[in-house]
């Protein structure tokens, strides 16, 4: 077991029930509801309830909103450090080159072919290596290219959120944010994924201590944000982070509803 994998699993164990900042009591449930209400009014087209994963390529926007768990994982990896448009283009190219969800072909292909297919999404060398390594690890562990057991809904087969997180982060290249996105968008669990937008806005709102990094911020916020708000608040904070000029740059003259709320 790699030291990095051990560290990820230890973090997951440490903060399943207790925040890394146990005396930091923000956000309160009412604060989380207030911000959800403000952002839902500001971004009405993004305030919809949780969408069921759709099995059509048109639905995939890089967040993993598809029913196949491995596909959701690949989409989320492709979405890292790039725009939704670029990651969506990279996924489309990957599907065209290898066939949609032909994981065996992707795993067996020369690395250069995978790099070439996903080049549009940026960091193609790193992401291609991550995707191929994960696919090979899944095959080695389960004997097939499938993680659908993580999405089982029957009572006797349904896994806990913690068990799903542990399996996902056990693969090299899958961190807590990527795993949380798969839980939230693909598997339909209440998990609060903290990406760059959510992290920046959470710091601005004073929802996490200054010393928190993104991993610890996610561990804290996942325990503080009420379950029924996790999906909507994540979607709205990401949208606000992308769209609002008023809280993006210091000294910007543009207005921001969150800054107005804080005054």
């Amino acid at each position: 077991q790699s030291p990095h994998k051990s560290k990820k699993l230890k973090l997951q164990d440490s903060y399943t029930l207790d925040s890394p900042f146990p005396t930091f009591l923000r956000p309160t449930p009412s604060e989380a509801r207030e911000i959800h209400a403000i952002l839902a009014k500001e971004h009405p087209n993004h305030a919809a309830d949780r969408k069921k994963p759709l099995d059509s390529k048109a639905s995939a926007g890089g967040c993993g909103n598809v029913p196949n768990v491995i596909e959701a994982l690949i989409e989320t990896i492709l979405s890292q450090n790039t725009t939704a448009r670029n990651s969506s283009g990279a996924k489309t190219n990957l599907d065209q080159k290898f066939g949609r969800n032909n994981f065996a072909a992707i795993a067996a292909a020369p690395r250069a072919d995978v790099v070439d297919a996903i080049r549009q999404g940026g960091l193609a060398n790193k992401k291609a290596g991550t995707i191929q390594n994960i696919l090979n690890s899944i095959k080695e562990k389960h004997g097939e290219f499938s993680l659908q057991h993580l999405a089982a809904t029957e009572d006797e087969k349904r896994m806990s959120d913690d068990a799903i997180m542990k399996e996902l982060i056990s693969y090299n290249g899958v961190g807590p944010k990527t795993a949380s996105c798969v839980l939230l968008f693909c598997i339909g669990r209440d998990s609060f994924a903290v990406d760059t937008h959510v992290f920046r806005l959470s710091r601005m709102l004073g929802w996490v201590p200054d010393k928190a990094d993104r991993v610890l911020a996610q561990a804290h916020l996942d325990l503080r944000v009420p379950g029924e708000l996790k999906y909507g608040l994540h979607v709205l904070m990401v949208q606000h982070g992308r769209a609002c000029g008023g809280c993006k740059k210091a000294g910007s003259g543009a207005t921001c509803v969150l800054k107005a709320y804080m005054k």
Side-chain angles (χ1 to χ4, degrees):
Q1 187 163 301
S2 72
H4 190 54
K5 178 177 168 181
S6 300
K7 186 181 174 188
K8 286 191 292 182
L9 291 169
K10 188 178 174 191
L11 274 169
Q12 180 64 24
D13 270 337
S14 302
Y15 304 128
T16 303
L17 299 172
D18 300 300
S19 166
F21 312 109
T23 60
F24 195 89
L25 303 181
R26 297 189 65 199
T28 62
S30 61
E31 275 183 307
R33 287 191 187 93
E34 277 182 55
I35 296 302
H36 183 278
I38 288 166
L39 292 179
K41 189 177 175 187
E42 181 75 1
H43 307 285
N45 295 337
H46 292 79
D49 291 333
R50 186 195 295 274
K51 293 181 177 70
K52 232 179 131 44
L54 299 172
D55 200 11
S56 73
K57 194 63 202 89
S59 72
C63 296
N65 192 32
V66 286
N68 184 291
V69 180
I70 296 180
E71 183 179 23
L73 197 50
I74 289 173
E75 279 194 0
T76 310
I77 290 162
L78 291 175
S79 74
Q80 292 165 1
N81 301 298
T82 191
T83 63
R85 184 178 174 182
N86 283 344
S87 68
S88 190
K91 178 62 168 62
T92 299
N93 292 343
L94 192 70
D95 291 348
Q96 286 173 349
K97 188 170 187 77
F98 298 104
R100 185 173 177 199
N101 295 350
N102 189 348
F103 305 127
I106 298 169
R111 176 71 47 85
D113 289 358
V114 182
V115 171
D116 192 48
I118 65 172
R119 197 173 301 284
Q120 183 181 345
L123 299 176
N125 287 310
K126 183 182 178 189
K127 290 176 183 178
T130 298
I131 290 166
Q132 286 190 306
N133 290 341
I134 288 169
L135 289 174
N136 287 316
S137 297
I138 291 168
K139 179 76 188 303
E140 196 176 316
K141 183 169 185 175
H142 297 294
E144 59 180 344
F145 293 106
S146 175
L147 287 177
Q148 290 311 104
H149 63 285
L150 300 182
T153 53
E154 305 91 340
D155 286 347
E156 69 278 7
K157 291 182 183 173
R158 182 181 161 92
M159 292 170 64
S160 69
D161 295 356
D162 184 48
I164 296 169
M165 282 290 286
K166 279 182 178 158
E167 162 125 16
L168 290 172
I169 63 175
S170 74
Y171 298 112
N172 286 333
V174 180
K177 191 274 284 188
T178 296
S180 179
C181 281
V182 173
L183 251 81
L184 185 65
F185 290 103
C186 171
I187 299 175
R189 301 296 181 89
D190 294 327
S191 185
F192 196 67
V194 175
D195 74 341
T196 51
H197 298 294
V198 176
F199 184 50
R200 178 169 59 81
L201 295 177
S202 297
R203 291 186 69 175
M204 187 180 90
L205 288 163
W207 282 8
V208 290
D210 290 340
K211 63 184 176 185
D213 62 15
R214 244 172 59 180
V215 171
L216 294 181
Q218 179 168 306
H220 175 72
L221 291 168
D222 198 41
L223 291 166
R224 299 294 311 173
V225 174
E228 71 276 9
L229 293 181
K230 286 178 181 176
Y231 180 92
L233 197 55
H234 170 86
V235 170
L236 288 165
M237 288 177 87
V238 169
Q239 175 57 23
H240 188 73
R242 285 174 177 162
C244 177
C247 59
K248 227 174 233 176
K249 298 185 185 79
S252 165
T255 57
C256 168
V257 288
L258 297 183
K259 284 190 169 177
Y261 159 84
M262 290 163 65
K263 280 179 182 169

